[in-house]
Amino acid sequence: MRSVAVFIGTRPEAIKMAPVVEALRADDRFRPIVVATGQHREMLHQVLDLFEIEPDHDLAVMQPGQTLASLTGRLVTAIDEVLEQDPPDLSLVQGDTTTAFVGGLASFYRGIRVGHVEAGLRTDDLMTPFPEEGNRRLVGRITSVHFAPTTGARQNLLREGVDPETVVVTGNTVIDALFRQLELQRSRNRTSALLEALTADLGFSPEAKPYVLVTGHRRENFGAGFEEICGALSELSRRFEDHTFVYPVHLNPRVQGPVHETLGDRPNVKLIAPRSYEEFLVLMQHCRVVLTDSGGVQEEAPSLGKPVLVMRENTERPEGVEAGTVRLVGADRDRIVAAVEELLVDEDAYAEMARAENPYGDGKASQRIVEELARILG
Ligand code: UD1
Ligand code: UDP
């Protein structure tokens, strides 16, 4: 039996690694070792609880307002101790977070092979998103097997001289997580309980009133970018009093501060706590438009047929833009207002973007990852 360490630090890593952990657990060729670094706390445990993942190691490193360097320092020591106690045959890291970078680096230092899930995403601008573009390039240099979600991601790696034999196109595991949760919602009849829980917090049922769903947390938007985003939401909430702007606010104090300060008194802006993944999916299913700077949300919303406006100048996920369901609007007040307004008033423009597309996968990415691991680990 081969042991595979699965590193999980933040909310999106937990969502995207949960199906991989499930697939490894279901396969008696493998023993998964789940290492929760605790880069996130509440937002991580929300997901681990939902997917019923009990970590084998819980490093609980998060500190409020942590800097990138202090987090990296704490993580490299804590992860090295785990690798010494419980050395795996291979380490799997996901995406572009500090956990992914340090999980990869500490494994590399111990001569443990690294598998990179969601490999090959690039904006080709080192500073956006920051520091994620740097993290994923760094992980890519010390990776033995690259699990690229799309053929475009594979091409990016080949362009950088990565050996094609080490790249496998799998689809994105976020679609596995999404399909799995939608299926559970149906089979467990969870929908009405989830709608009730959301109604209690929002003051209206997501089925009953039109709303725009907002998320925003990127570091490069801190400061001026968030002023623009909040300014746009404030203006939109005045122009569209018949709509609500539902914003589950990321727990980072650099996000909480400006968002509550600027939008806290707008009656039709609902600033709510981060939702569990199953509640967030219900919010996505019923909203009119998604306004976000998130990576994962850009991948999920097209599968649900929701138009996505991305508050960034570029994206490492061009497939949604090419499919016509995602548009880049920058962290720019006027462009955000104009783009949301167009979708809310122009039915043709709306219909043009609101098409269900699955450019990021078919729900079987985790299975492909596990089969490749079986092949290379023998
Ligand atoms: C991190 C990732 C980012 C990812 C995002 C997902 C890095 C460098 N950044 O950014 O790529 O898109 O997670 O959400 O890895 N906090 C809490 N409770 C939580 C989570 C966060 O209080 O459950 C607060 C803490 O004050 C913490 C701060 O948020 O110090 C920042 O967390 P951190 O993981 O350093 O950065 P994110 O901005 O969340
Ligand atoms: N998400 C969630 N609850 C929320 C907001 C988002 O479960 O209140 C999910 C969302 O569906 C997506 C993931 O969190 O799968 C995205 O995480 P985040 O935006 O924090 O990080 P990113 O994807 O930008 O790295």
Side-chain angles (χ1 to χ4, degrees):
M1 196 186 264
R2 300 295 183 184
S3 57
V4 176
V6 181
F7 286 90
I8 298 176
T10 62
R11 170 171 68 191
E13 287 166 280
I15 292 167
K16 291 172 171 181
M17 283 300 218
V20 179
V21 171
E22 197 166 291
L24 286 169
R25 280 195 178 145
D27 191 321
D28 56 16
R29 292 171 292 183
F30 294 102
R31 178 174 74 90
I33 305 169
V34 176
V35 185
T37 66
Q39 174 178 339
H40 279 178
R41 194 161 49 205
E42 303 86 338
M43 288 162 58
L44 174 65
H45 286 282
Q46 243 179 0
V47 185
L48 296 179
D49 292 348
L50 176 68
F51 284 93
E52 297 175 353
I53 295 176
E54 182 78 42
D56 297 278
H57 302 274
D58 194 349
L59 309 181
V61 296
M62 197 203 89
Q63 287 178 2
Q66 59 205 2
T67 63
L68 294 172
S70 70
L71 172 65
T72 301
R74 288 194 303 282
L75 270 182
V76 78
T77 313
I79 291 176
D80 189 51
E81 281 166 14
V82 168
L83 293 175
E84 183 171 32
Q85 274 170 38
D86 199 359
D89 294 304
L90 183 139
S91 288
L92 274 186
V93 299
Q94 199 283 335
D96 49 25
T97 65
T98 301
T99 290
F101 166 53
V102 181
L105 184 69
S107 302
F108 172 71
Y109 282 164
R110 283 198 172 263
I112 297 164
R113 278 182 284 182
V114 176
H116 188 198
V117 177
E118 199 181 80
L121 272 60
R122 298 289 185 270
T123 61
D124 292 329
D125 173 359
L126 183 59
M127 297 312 285
T128 57
F130 175 84
E132 290 81 6
E133 177 77 6
N135 284 343
R136 56 193 173 219
R137 291 193 206 181
L138 290 164
V139 174
R141 308 311 294 183
I142 51 174
T143 289
S144 301
V145 52
H146 307 259
F147 298 108
T150 62
T151 51
R154 179 172 196 272
Q155 287 307 324
N156 291 338
L157 291 166
L158 301 192
R159 242 189 324 129
E160 291 174 7
V162 170
D163 176 358
E165 294 290 309
T166 65
V167 184
V168 187
V169 178
T170 59
N172 198 308
T173 58
V174 77
I175 304 300
D176 305 18
L178 172 75
F179 287 179
R180 179 100 185 95
Q181 281 303 319
L182 294 180
E183 182 195 309
L184 285 175
Q185 262 175 37
R186 272 191 298 269
S187 65
R188 292 182 181 166
N189 288 326
R190 291 279 296 148
T191 312
S192 49
L194 294 170
L195 283 168
E196 262 171 45
L198 287 163
T199 303
D201 273 13
L202 294 174
F204 65 91
S205 167
E207 287 180 315
K209 278 174 76 171
Y211 62 91
V212 173
L213 180 60
V214 185
T215 80
H217 69 84
R218 296 245 82 84
R219 267 185 169 67
E220 68 272 15
N221 282 342
F222 290 171
F226 266 93
E227 271 173 36
E228 294 282 310
I229 290 170
C230 293
L233 287 170
S234 179
E235 189 171 333
L236 283 164
S237 71
R238 286 180 170 83
R239 282 199 202 179
F240 293 94
E241 286 182 339
D242 56 338
H243 279 66
T244 306
F245 295 80
V246 176
Y247 187 168
V249 188
H250 191 290
L251 295 179
N252 194 326
R254 304 277 309 268
V255 179
Q256 289 275 335
V259 167
H260 281 277
E261 227 163 79
T262 320
L263 299 168
D265 63 353
R266 295 294 313 141
N268 56 338
V269 177
K270 294 285 174 196
L271 303 178
I272 54 177
R275 309 321 298 179
S276 72
Y277 186 49
E278 50 176 1
E279 284 182 11
F280 190 74
L281 291 182
V282 172
L283 282 177
M284 261 201 288
Q285 283 168 279
H286 292 284
C287 74
R288 296 213 64 210
V289 175
V290 180
L291 189 56
T292 190
D293 64 11
S294 157
V297 175
Q298 283 179 64
E299 292 156 344
E300 294 159 341
S303 292
L304 298 171
K306 296 297 169 178
V308 188
L309 300 173
V310 176
M311 298 183 287
R312 291 175 46 186
E313 293 299 341
N314 60 22
T315 180
E316 57 292 278
R317 294 162 167 96
E319 295 84 357
V321 179
E322 284 152 18
T325 65
V326 175
R327 253 174 73 192
L328 296 173
V329 296
D332 177 288
R333 180 179 174 139
D334 295 341
R335 283 167 64 200
I336 297 170
V337 170
V340 174
E341 181 161 30
E342 186 186 18
L343 287 176
L344 295 186
V345 300
D346 181 339
E347 278 173 28
D348 292 340
Y350 187 87
E352 192 59 30
M353 282 187 83
R355 287 182 314 233
E357 301 269 353
N358 281 319
Y360 297 105
D362 60 2
K364 295 182 183 141
S366 313
Q367 209 47 55
R368 293 189 187 100
I369 290 171
V370 168
E371 285 315 319
E372 180 62 10
L373 290 176
R375 195 184 69 78
I376 59 177
L377 292 175

